[in-house]
Amino acid sequence: MPLVGRAGRVLGPRGLMPNPKAGTVTADIGKAVRDIKAGKLEYRVDRQSNLHLVIGKRSFDEKRLAENYLAVVDEILRAKPAAAKGKYLKSVTISSTMGPGIRIDPARVRDVAEETAGAGQPA
């Protein structure tokens, strides 16, 4: 980490600075590269408990985006603490980087992706 610190002025503003919490600073480089290539999700939570993460890129087709969305939703719902009472997801909004947000009913979070994935299938 001390060696990487010198590059902080260049990497920091771009969001590329390695971080031990994110697993990008490790002694086992091979394992870190395999995990990232396998699709390791990196997300962050801000002070207002908003979850920020990437579910796809512009080059992805609808099916891949729906699969990624379902995987994210499953992971979030699986990570719900047992002690959490009431509604776990209060609101869900999906947006592109610089585009407007699209609200999704929290009660139908899984249904939206399943409908999208099913729309491409012939009847």
Side-chain angles (χ1 to χ4, degrees):
M1 193 65 182
L3 298 173
V4 177
R6 296 181 199 144
R9 282 186 228 132
V10 176
L11 298 175
R14 294 183 189 173
L16 301 174
M17 189 67 181
N19 181 354
K21 275 175 65 176
T24 53
V25 176
T26 179
D28 189 3
I29 297 169
K31 181 183 180 301
V33 170
R34 280 191 303 274
D35 288 347
I36 291 169
K37 284 186 175 181
K40 178 181 178 183
L41 267 180
E42 188 172 325
Y43 60 90
R44 67 182 193 277
V45 180
D46 62 16
R47 291 181 182 178
Q48 291 79 26
S49 299
N50 295 321
L51 183 70
H52 302 271
L53 64 121
V54 176
I55 62 169
K57 297 183 180 186
R58 186 171 183 224
S59 61
F60 288 11
D61 61 344
E62 285 184 35
K63 183 179 178 192
R64 285 179 61 191
L65 286 171
E67 288 172 359
N68 287 354
Y69 172 78
L70 279 173
V72 166
V73 168
D74 287 341
E75 186 62 30
I76 292 168
L77 295 177
R78 195 167 49 90
K80 176 183 175 183
K85 302 280 188 220
K87 290 174 64 174
Y88 190 61
L89 296 175
K90 300 210 184 234
S91 68
V92 178
T93 305
I94 294 180
S95 69
S96 63
T97 303
M98 296 295 289
I102 299 170
R103 290 182 167 253
I104 298 175
D105 180 13
R108 296 191 57 224
V109 143
R110 289 193 48 80
D111 298 341
V112 171
E114 289 170 355
E115 286 173 6
T116 303
Q121 301 291 333

